[in-house]
Amino acid sequence: MLHVLATALIFVQTAATEVSIQMKDGKTIEGVVELESIGMETTFGEATIEFDQIASIQFDAVHVVVTADNTVLKGKVPIAALAVKTESGETSLSIEDVESLVTVRRAKPQAGVVTNGTAANKLTYHLRAPAKYDGIAELPAIVILHGSNMNSKAYMDTIVGQWPAIAERYLLIGINGEYRNADSAADNPAYNYTYVNFVGKSKYKGYPGTDRESPALVAELLQELKARLNLSRVFVGGHSQGGFLTYSVLMNYPELIDGAFPMSSGLIFQCEPRAYEAEEVRAAQRKVPLAIVHGPNDQVVDFGMSRYAYEVFEDDGFAMVKLFADENAGHRFAFLPLEQAISWLEAMSSDDVPGRTMLKYAQQQIEAKDYRSACAVLDRLANQFSDDREGATALEALRAKVNASAQTEGSRLAQLIAENKDGSWVDDFLAFREKFALAKSAKPALEAYAKLREQHQGPADDLFNKARGDFQSGNQDAGYAKYREIVDRYYASSWYRSAKRWLA
């Protein structure tokens, strides 16, 4: 609550509020400030602000106070020092040495109600538990990241309205970007994320400070929420700008999540699988199922960006990756096939579903000719039937069915690849691998292709990099000629599909 007063104001001591204070020397101090209100000199007069209504204070040349209801006030807080109680005792901080203060609000889930929180790293977030939540039971969670100049609460509201079955199964967590659009309305604030310079655990080196962009901040908040909330699993997804961010969270913090669903977005180069070399990171990434969601009629972010992302992950051996593309969908979040993507993530990650139920799911996927998903489920069930002979027999029967479906085509391709007279087999192989990469009978073809790729990848990388230089210098003919050479001579490289599509 804000009161405009006619006289100068001072801090009033009473209520205790948890704070995170960033010092100008880079240190972070966490503790408790006992204040009821603060005084502030603004351009429209002097004001007092109840401290429990403050979200943050930025101590620049002009002090900026943001309140819990997103009101922004600029002026001067007329104090010289701030008393903070920390774990090691009470300390007095000179305001000249303080860069910013954030009041930490640890939101708690409430049944059918949205609650708001603020993390120590300034990120604001929202929680909504299912209407029948009892405050005790363990819950799975969906983390939603918003599009540019939006807020995550609006996305949570859309999920509740458009997909109520999801809202009644999951704790919804909306995380806002760290940058608020100053021109946005107080009752409908808009935010943006940062991630384009973030390199995280990839092989690339970033600019100083870029590893404090949104991926790191979101990861910190996820760690905090997982530590204090009773969560069974966590799916992270985002739309448009939030989808780009989702890939970065997946690739740099795979240990924090159980599934990812980037929507209407694309993959920046430092998040591509080949950008990561540490084996423990690569292994953790491949344990996370990835549902890529995009509308082919998207007029904002081209559908080809998700198609490319899918091909990159599939090519690099991600067993659990699937592209969900509703032919009638465009860019709008509410019309994307989110429910199908979440159901698939559940099948790929849930350990609390009975094995017999999952066997039925695998059977359904085989009948739908989605052999990749069926194999992924069967692999997860491999050790669940040690004391169930009938279940083990049913599992092996399904494996045999997949292997039989792959056997003839796999044998044909293995021979053609070994002979390698030309690249006429490549498109057939890529379609085969997309379906049967996890099938035992596909192994000879996959091994023959991997051997040939070792010969083709280096020259193709060199040609691709030279082609990029040609395009940057305006020599398109030379660039396309190099793409043609990749397609004609180095068709077992990872660049084949992209080069062929660009030529078309």
Side-chain angles (χ1 to χ4, degrees):
M1 183 179 295
L2 178 64
H3 304 284
V4 178
L5 302 181
T7 57
L9 299 166
I10 59 171
F11 280 85
V12 180
Q13 299 281 118
T14 45
T17 304
E18 185 177 353
V19 297
S20 176
I21 298 173
Q22 188 70 32
M23 306 299 289
K24 290 178 179 177
D25 62 5
K27 293 179 181 178
T28 299
I29 296 175
E30 295 182 354
V32 172
V33 170
E34 293 186 346
L35 292 172
E36 180 179 311
S37 61
I38 65 168
M40 187 175 187
E41 300 169 354
T42 71
T43 55
F44 58 81
E46 296 171 342
T48 184
I49 310 162
E50 294 176 8
F51 200 79
D52 64 0
Q53 292 301 304
I54 291 175
S56 65
I57 306 176
Q58 189 75 29
F59 293 97
D60 292 325
V62 175
H63 297 172
V64 179
V65 175
V66 179
T67 66
D69 64 0
N70 289 298
T71 299
V72 177
L73 299 170
K74 297 181 179 180
K76 187 76 173 180
V77 178
I79 61 166
L82 185 65
V84 183
K85 292 183 178 179
T86 69
E87 289 184 352
S88 56
E90 185 167 328
T91 183
S92 180
L93 304 176
S94 170
I95 292 299
E96 292 184 356
D97 298 328
V98 176
E99 180 178 291
S100 63
L101 174 151
V102 176
T103 59
V104 179
R105 291 179 172 81
R106 303 186 189 279
K108 296 180 179 180
Q110 293 184 24
V113 176
V114 175
T115 57
N116 307 316
T118 304
N121 61 19
K122 298 185 182 181
L123 288 188
T124 57
Y125 64 96
H126 315 280
L127 305 180
R128 182 199 180 273
K132 295 182 179 179
Y133 177 59
D134 62 5
I136 300 173
E138 184 179 61
L139 282 175
I142 286 178
V143 176
I144 191 73
L145 307 173
H146 57 76
S148 62
N149 291 301
M150 292 289 290
N151 63 70
S152 61
K153 183 180 180 299
Y155 281 80
M156 291 169 60
D157 291 342
T158 299
I159 292 174
V160 173
Q162 189 77 2
W163 300 287
I166 291 177
E168 294 313 310
R169 296 203 309 275
Y170 286 87
L171 171 67
L172 302 180
I173 302 172
I175 300 178
N176 297 319
E178 68 266 38
Y179 286 104
R180 182 186 170 187
N181 184 333
D183 296 327
S184 60
D187 60 351
N188 188 30
Y191 301 90
N192 285 290
Y193 301 108
T194 56
Y195 53 84
V196 294
N197 294 310
F198 187 84
V199 297
K201 297 175 183 176
S202 73
K203 64 185 177 183
Y204 301 112
K205 294 182 179 180
Y207 301 107
T210 56
D211 272 359
R212 292 301 300 160
E213 291 189 336
S214 295
L217 300 177
V218 169
E220 288 174 355
L221 181 49
L222 286 177
Q223 288 175 312
E224 176 197 322
L225 294 175
K226 291 184 73 171
R228 68 181 178 84
L229 301 180
N230 192 16
L231 304 180
S232 56
R233 61 179 178 272
V234 176
F235 297 155
V236 172
H239 177 247
S240 198
Q241 187 187 83
F244 284 88
L245 174 58
T246 298
Y247 283 115
S248 189
V249 174
L250 162 66
M251 298 305 284
N252 292 292
Y253 305 98
E255 70 281 0
L256 295 179
I257 66 177
D258 303 288
F261 56 102
M263 300 175 287
S264 306
S265 61
L267 185 66
I268 56 178
F269 78 95
Q270 64 266 41
C271 292
E272 294 190 3
R274 291 181 64 194
Y276 298 83
E277 297 176 332
E279 287 304 319
E280 65 275 13
V281 175
R282 289 174 61 83
Q285 291 166 344
R286 283 153 179 75
K287 293 178 181 178
V288 182
L290 171 60
I292 300 172
V293 183
H294 210 134
N297 296 320
D298 195 325
Q299 300 299 308
V300 179
V301 180
D302 188 75
F303 174 73
M305 297 189 74
S306 282
R307 179 178 57 196
Y308 171 77
Y310 168 76
E311 291 176 351
V312 166
F313 283 99
E314 187 272 331
D315 183 76
D316 207 78
F318 277 67
M320 296 181 291
V321 58
K322 187 169 182 175
L323 177 61
F324 292 84
D326 186 327
E327 293 299 325
N328 298 315
H331 189 71
R332 288 186 63 185
F333 171 64
F335 298 115
L336 292 169
L338 175 64
E339 202 154 29
Q340 297 93 310
I342 295 298
S343 294
W344 181 82
L345 289 174
E346 289 171 343
M348 294 299 108
S349 64
S350 300
D351 292 324
D352 54 352
V353 179
R356 293 297 185 92
T357 300
M358 295 308 296
L359 283 178
K360 290 180 181 179
Y361 178 86
Q363 175 68 48
Q364 292 169 354
Q365 300 313 299
I366 291 172
E367 292 171 357
K369 300 190 184 305
D370 184 358
Y371 299 104
R372 188 184 197 91
S373 295
C375 286
V377 169
L378 294 175
D379 286 347
R380 289 183 55 246
L381 295 175
N383 299 318
Q384 286 199 21
F385 296 104
S386 57
D387 298 322
D388 182 354
R389 180 173 297 180
E390 185 178 344
T393 300
L395 186 149
E396 290 307 315
L398 292 177
R399 283 193 190 280
K401 188 175 291 189
V402 174
N403 283 322
S405 298
Q407 183 65 57
T408 301
E409 179 70 350
S411 298
R412 182 183 77 87
L413 288 168
Q415 183 175 346
L416 288 173
I417 298 170
E419 293 172 354
N420 192 31
K421 294 179 180 179
D422 54 40
S424 59
W425 50 266
V426 174
D427 292 331
D428 287 346
F429 170 78
L430 293 175
F432 172 82
R433 185 185 67 181
E434 187 174 353
K435 287 185 176 181
F436 295 110
L438 307 182
K440 185 177 180 180
S441 59
K443 190 175 181 180
L446 297 175
E447 289 178 342
Y449 179 79
K451 186 176 181 180
L452 186 60
R453 169 164 288 195
E454 290 181 1
Q455 302 172 31
H456 285 199
Q457 192 63 47
D461 285 342
D462 186 54
L463 283 168
F464 174 78
N465 290 329
K466 289 179 178 177
R468 183 168 57 184
D470 290 334
F471 285 114
Q472 289 172 346
S473 64
N475 193 350
Q476 293 193 354
D477 290 342
Y480 282 121
K482 291 179 177 63
Y483 286 167
R484 172 55 60 190
E485 189 173 357
I486 290 173
V487 171
D488 292 343
R489 295 186 60 189
Y490 303 112
Y491 37 80
S493 74
S494 64
W495 296 114
Y496 168 80
R497 283 189 290 202
S498 295
K500 185 176 180 179
R501 188 173 294 120
W502 294 330
L503 285 169

